[in-house]
Amino acid sequence: MKNKKLTVSNVNTENLLRKYKLPNMKNRHPLTLSGGQKQRLTIAAAEVLNKEAFIFDEPTSGLDADSMHLVSDRLKELQKSGKIVIVITHDYEFLMETCTETLMIDKNKITTFDTKIDTKSILQVLKNEGEA
């Protein structure tokens, strides 16, 4: 098997750390960061890889409201730059602020929602989650 070279974007890491409100953390070990700081660092690191598609699983886990809005803005910027951004979340506020389309998979059934039109339907689905 041939080794693949990991390529990163030419992004200015100092600027990226500022965008994620982590400029004073660059010399700290990741394990010394708070949960929210680790979460933002993980998303920033993904952004550095400059892939065509990103999948984020519960990206708001451990984030306060300000950090949630920051991550939302960064993911929307990735999308605007032509990247495919897939988010797995139970966070209704984040979903509505960040996502343009919603896909729900439940018991082998796929339902799609437009977050600009189907807000009540999405909220109802999330409220009923886990009910038999």
Side-chain angles (χ1 to χ4, degrees):
M1 185 160 107
K2 201 175 195 180
N3 286 340
K4 278 188 158 184
K5 184 178 178 184
L6 181 64
T7 57
V8 296
S9 66
N10 292 328
V11 69
N12 179 327
T13 54
E14 300 287 333
N15 188 35
L16 191 61
L17 287 172
R18 270 193 300 282
K19 287 180 180 179
Y20 281 95
K21 296 188 179 178
L22 297 167
N24 300 326
M25 309 297 167
K26 76 175 190 172
N27 293 319
R28 288 185 47 190
H29 191 283
L31 292 178
T32 67
L33 302 177
S34 72
Q37 291 167 332
K38 286 177 189 174
Q39 190 74 340
R40 293 192 321 267
L41 180 61
T42 300
I43 297 167
E47 191 172 331
V48 168
L49 293 175
N50 198 29
K51 298 291 184 181
E52 293 303 311
F54 297 88
I55 301 174
F56 296 102
D57 186 6
E58 299 292 351
T60 60
S61 176
L63 298 183
D64 61 16
D66 288 340
S67 294
M68 185 275 294
H69 295 296
L70 182 150
V71 168
S72 175
D73 290 343
R74 294 303 306 153
L75 297 188
K76 288 187 280 189
E77 285 299 316
L78 285 172
Q79 188 274 330
K80 285 179 189 173
S81 73
K83 307 296 184 184
I84 297 168
V85 179
I86 299 171
V87 176
I88 302 163
T89 188
H90 293 87
D91 186 332
Y92 175 76
E93 182 182 358
F94 182 76
L95 175 78
M96 299 310 292
E97 181 177 327
T98 311
C99 302
T100 56
E101 296 176 50
T102 303
L103 176 75
M104 184 186 78
I105 304 171
D106 183 40
K107 297 177 185 147
N108 297 322
K109 182 181 174 191
I110 298 173
T111 308
T112 60
F113 301 98
D114 181 323
T115 55
K116 304 301 179 224
I117 298 170
D118 300 319
T119 57
K120 288 181 183 177
S121 298
I122 294 168
L123 186 56
Q124 188 63 41
V125 167
L126 290 174
K127 282 183 178 180
N128 291 330
E129 187 177 87
E131 292 181 9

